[in-house]
Amino acid sequence: MSLKSTPSRYGSVAMAFHWLTALAILALMVTGQMMDGLQDAARQIAILKWHVPMGLAVLLLTLARIAWWFFADRHPAPLGTGWQALAAKAGHTALYALLLVMTVSGVALMALSGAGEVVFFGSTAPLPQFSDYLPRIPHGLGAKLLIALVALHVAAAIWHQRVKRDGAMTRILPVRD
């Protein structure tokens, strides 16, 4: 398998970015939902110790992925034409943008609230009420939108693979040619 993409298949670097990011996003969705409404500060801190570094990893993966596409690789040819190609491009662009918004708002939330001191540096101060800080709004709304976009992305991939039978999944899965 080639490091770079071909007109019909993603390269191994693009696949690695895709699947590592997908796993990290899944972990972030799970840990984020676990914290939503959680009253036990000790459990919330324990979850944040995983959630925050995972969010930063997604930021780094997303920036590296954008740089990879911009400087080193090209996407395979689109599977659809017309509105389908436009929808796919818009969907992927929205996912990248939302991942950046989510990580920036998460970092801002930790910095403005002082939660980083409590979570990572052993401060004995109480964990702040995140809803008191403005970045919580885009972070919370972004999480809901991200869940919807990921569901739409997965549904589109399944539709391409099962209904259109155009090999969409084989383009991004690390299987032998």
Side-chain angles (χ1 to χ4, degrees):
M1 180 176 351
S2 172
L3 290 177
K4 291 189 176 186
S5 302
T6 66
S8 62
R9 186 167 168 72
Y10 289 92
S12 58
V13 173
M15 286 183 203
F17 281 139
H18 179 271
W19 292 110
L20 286 172
T21 304
L23 288 173
I25 289 169
L26 181 61
L28 287 166
M29 288 176 174
V30 169
T31 57
Q33 291 300 310
M34 288 170 64
M35 284 187 294
D36 197 26
L38 187 62
Q39 298 302 316
D40 182 355
R43 280 203 56 198
Q44 195 171 14
I45 290 169
I47 295 169
L48 281 167
K49 285 183 179 185
W50 288 94
H51 188 82
V52 173
M54 191 73 62
L56 293 173
V58 167
L59 173 64
L60 294 175
L61 281 166
T62 302
L63 293 174
R65 190 175 188 178
I66 291 168
W68 176 253
W69 288 126
F70 190 75
F71 295 111
D73 201 5
R74 295 291 172 254
H75 290 85
L79 290 175
T81 58
W83 73 269
Q84 287 181 347
L86 183 61
K89 187 164 187 70
H92 286 103
T93 301
L95 279 169
Y96 288 134
L98 190 55
L99 290 176
L100 295 175
V101 167
M102 290 295 294
T103 53
V104 168
S105 65
V107 167
L109 189 57
M110 292 297 286
L112 292 174
S113 70
E117 291 292 322
V118 176
V119 173
F120 297 108
F121 301 109
S123 170
T124 57
L127 198 60
Q129 187 68 5
F130 290 116
S131 60
D132 293 343
Y133 297 89
L134 186 60
R136 178 62 178 104
I137 295 169
H139 202 71
L141 292 174
K144 289 172 180 45
L145 186 55
L146 185 59
I147 290 168
L149 280 175
V150 167
L152 188 59
H153 181 73
V154 170
I158 292 169
W159 181 77
H160 269 278
Q161 186 69 23
R162 297 291 182 198
V163 176
K164 289 194 76 177
R165 299 191 182 277
D166 57 11
M169 295 296 289
T170 57
R171 291 165 41 114
I172 195 68
L173 287 173
V175 294
R176 295 201 183 267
D177 293 328

